[in-house]
Amino acid sequence: MAAIAFDPLEYARALESSGVPREQAEVHAKAMTQVFVHNMDALVTRDYLDTRFSEFATRWFYP
């Protein structure tokens, strides 16, 4: 399974280094973390698709 690496602390530091105030950078990093966590359940991976396509092909060609 694929993994998505997101470091909110590093993200907040990158925002700060580009001029975003610390408090705003921290809030933005927290919001991005919540988006990633919320959407991971709906993530479709290549492995999942390969499995589903194989199942479909097996049923279609070999009933």
Side-chain angles (χ1 to χ4, degrees):
M1 176 185 244
I4 297 175
F6 177 70
D7 183 353
L9 182 57
E10 186 65 33
Y11 182 70
R13 287 179 181 160
L15 289 174
E16 278 187 80
S17 70
S18 66
V20 176
R22 169 172 271 175
E23 185 176 330
Q24 186 176 351
E26 289 175 358
V27 169
H28 200 275
K30 183 181 280 189
M32 290 297 290
T33 301
Q34 291 172 348
V35 167
F36 280 118
V37 169
H38 177 72
N39 289 317
M40 285 302 285
D41 290 338
L43 180 67
V44 176
T45 64
R46 177 176 283 176
D47 291 338
Y48 173 81
L49 288 176
D50 287 343
T51 301
R52 298 299 295 177
F53 286 142
S54 294
E55 291 171 359
F56 177 76
T58 301
R59 284 190 305 226
W60 180 260
F61 295 111
Y62 305 104

